Amino acid sequence: TTGLLFLRGPLTDRQRDEMAGLGANERALLGDIRFGPLRRLAVRLVRLKMRLQFTGWLQYLIPLAPTLLLVLLGAVTWLLAGPWASAVFLLLAAALLLIVAFDIVTSKFLVRLPERRPPRRDGLSAIELLRARKSCRSYQTTPLSDADRKELLAAVERELQRPPLGKAEPRLLYIRAPLTVWPVVNASEFLVAIAPEPYDRAAVIDVGRSLQRVVVDATRMGLGTCWIGPGADQRSVAKELGERFDADTEHIVCVCAVGYPSAYAPLFVRLFTQKMSATRLPLRELFFSDDALQKPLDVGATPYDRFGEAYEVCRWAPSSYNGQTTRAAVQTDDGGDVNEVKFFAVTTSRYYAPVALGIWCANWELAAEALGQEGTFELGPGPSDHLPSHDATWRPSPKTEGTKKRP
């Protein structure tokens, strides 16, 4: 039954018309639904979700649901046990309402005290920057200084000059405009990642790899960043790009908000960020010693231990909704030395998973270089009939035999 409802393949003209205005990620997921009525229902639900997200009010109104529940519990308790018994519920409801009001005044209407620019982090190593970087979902209204913007765009240009894994080169375009994004608030400057059309998986991997290296440079500058995939309104992005974007020959993969972090953030955004940043899978579920991903890697054993914190920075790499869709197999040669690290995607996602894998590639090579273990990447065979999908392989350079542990 599942096979009759879902089918992978190129979108038909009718499917494209149904999904006009949706992002590449949403089109890819919805296009797999073969059963027409079910697909059209899913499209309507996605559009409703996007309208709610992009009103600019949803992140402020979500806390009203538990507030209403507390009021109802207070009312029932009042009827059953009297006013004193209901006081706890009503006080909690009042506290939530005050928080919502404060958030609306400070984050929506921007009535708040001025904030200082964050300090730079020039003294941190690549590994320290990767560990320090967190998703920033609330920004100051102060735009980037001319010097910071120039430095950021120089980092973009530098990374785009790096040879890509695939044959098609992705593009990273800068936009200064209040794009419609969710749940990020007050972001007004973005990097937009664009890949060629028709779909090229290697180019999507290169998007993740290149943009993540720019994100690390932005972290060094003291800037906040946030990867945004399904939370970006593709139509508003395309509108702001104007003639710089051709929908017939390329598609928008994701955007990355960039700017000065703000301490003012709606309650939902704070809780969402805390949730996304708090947990990751253990290393034994991410790194393996075999291609079947069945034998957990002992990262503390020789010779695997020479890569030290490279494992951790991959573990804490960002991914869509913290999905952690990448795995790696670290293998050795006959002499017992690590001779390759294979990176796999473990879901069929055509965009989220390849982008996340590209981010892993960037984190791995930056950490390995900091540890004195330079190497090179090459494309893997890619998707097959069965998961996991071997998408990239890193091999150490012959002259990186050192055992540098920490930068």
Side-chain angles (χ1 to χ4, degrees):
T1 303
T2 302
L4 295 175
L5 294 178
F6 297 90
L7 179 68
R8 301 199 62 80
L11 299 180
T12 64
D13 291 340
R14 181 175 180 177
Q15 289 173 334
R16 290 181 184 276
D17 291 340
E18 289 174 349
M19 292 179 275
L22 299 182
N25 299 292
E26 289 76 18
R27 293 197 306 270
L29 293 173
L30 295 169
D32 288 341
I33 304 176
R34 182 180 182 182
F35 187 54
L38 180 60
R39 183 181 61 251
R40 288 189 286 275
L41 175 61
V43 170
R44 291 191 184 97
L45 291 175
V46 169
R47 291 190 186 280
L48 175 61
K49 164 182 168 288
M50 293 174 67
R51 281 197 296 271
L52 292 174
Q53 285 182 342
F54 301 145
T55 58
W57 283 96
L58 183 59
Q59 50 265 57
Y60 301 98
L61 300 180
I62 286 177
L64 293 181
T67 302
L68 178 60
L69 178 60
L70 288 169
V71 171
L72 291 175
L73 288 173
V76 172
T77 306
W78 186 304
L79 293 175
L80 296 178
W84 290 106
S86 66
V88 173
F89 296 111
L90 297 179
L91 287 174
L92 287 175
L96 275 177
L97 282 175
L98 286 174
I99 292 173
V100 170
F102 178 82
D103 289 342
I104 291 175
V105 170
T106 58
S107 295
K108 185 67 175 176
F109 296 117
L110 303 177
V111 179
R112 59 193 188 186
L113 297 174
E115 299 179 86
R116 295 181 179 180
R117 291 184 187 176
R120 292 180 63 95
R121 293 167 166 172
D122 293 305
L124 299 186
S125 68
I127 289 176
E128 290 168 333
L129 288 170
L130 287 166
R131 293 179 67 89
R133 188 265 165 191
K134 306 291 182 184
S135 292
C136 174
R137 295 184 173 89
S138 183
Y139 293 85
Q140 299 181 29
T141 56
T142 303
L144 294 181
S145 67
D146 291 341
D148 283 345
R149 187 178 300 107
K150 181 178 180 180
E151 185 176 349
L152 177 68
L153 296 181
V156 170
E157 184 64 26
R158 182 171 61 251
E159 293 307 327
L160 291 180
Q161 294 300 317
R162 187 182 301 275
L165 290 175
K167 296 180 180 180
E169 297 182 358
R171 296 201 295 150
L172 300 177
L173 300 181
Y174 168 80
I175 287 181
R176 182 179 175 184
L179 298 180
T180 306
V181 295
W182 186 92
V184 174
V185 296
N186 297 324
S188 60
E189 297 181 75
F190 302 86
L191 295 174
V192 182
I194 298 174
E197 185 76 35
Y199 177 80
D200 186 326
R201 188 177 180 88
V204 180
I205 294 173
D206 279 319
V207 162
R209 185 187 180 205
S210 299
L211 185 51
Q212 176 67 358
R213 294 182 68 102
V214 175
V215 164
V216 175
D217 285 325
T219 304
R220 188 187 306 277
M221 297 166 58
L223 305 181
T225 55
C226 185
W227 291 77
I228 309 171
D233 178 15
Q234 299 283 320
R235 286 174 293 186
S236 75
V237 178
K239 179 180 178 181
E240 292 296 338
L241 286 173
E243 295 181 354
R244 294 191 291 169
F245 173 68
D246 183 356
D248 294 328
T249 61
E250 53 192 5
H251 58 260
I252 298 165
V253 177
C254 61
V255 302
C256 181
V258 59
Y260 302 122
S262 173
Y264 297 98
L267 176 62
F268 171 77
V269 172
R270 294 198 297 271
L271 294 177
F272 184 84
T273 300
Q274 183 178 4
K275 174 65 176 178
M276 292 295 103
S277 302
T279 59
R280 291 293 191 276
L281 293 173
L283 291 176
R284 66 178 179 276
E285 296 183 25
L286 298 173
F287 290 90
F288 301 85
S289 59
D290 65 313
D291 287 358
L293 308 181
Q294 297 298 313
K295 301 177 182 178
L297 185 73
D298 183 357
V299 298
T302 304
Y304 310 115
D305 60 336
R306 78 190 217 188
F307 292 97
E309 290 170 306
Y311 302 113
E312 281 292 338
V313 296
C314 287
R315 178 189 178 213
W316 288 96
S319 58
S320 181
Y321 292 108
N322 199 18
Q324 292 189 269
T325 56
T326 308
R327 304 291 185 270
V330 184
Q331 300 178 344
T332 58
D333 56 22
D334 293 337
D337 291 326
V338 172
N339 66 341
E340 63 182 11
V341 181
K342 297 179 180 178
F343 293 83
F344 298 84
V346 295
T347 72
T348 58
S349 166
R350 301 174 71 211
Y351 291 94
Y352 301 146
V355 167
L357 189 139
I359 294 173
W360 264 52
C361 290
N363 282 17
W364 179 269
E365 64 186 342
L366 286 168
E369 290 168 5
L371 294 167
Q373 309 291 337
E374 295 184 358
T376 57
F377 270 104
E378 63 183 48
L379 282 178
S384 61
D385 294 335
H386 303 284
L387 292 172
S389 171
H390 175 200
D391 285 308
T393 300
W394 179 89
R395 290 188 173 87
S397 301
K399 295 183 180 180
T400 59
E401 300 298 333
T403 56
K404 185 178 180 182
K405 293 292 183 180
R406 291 179 180 268

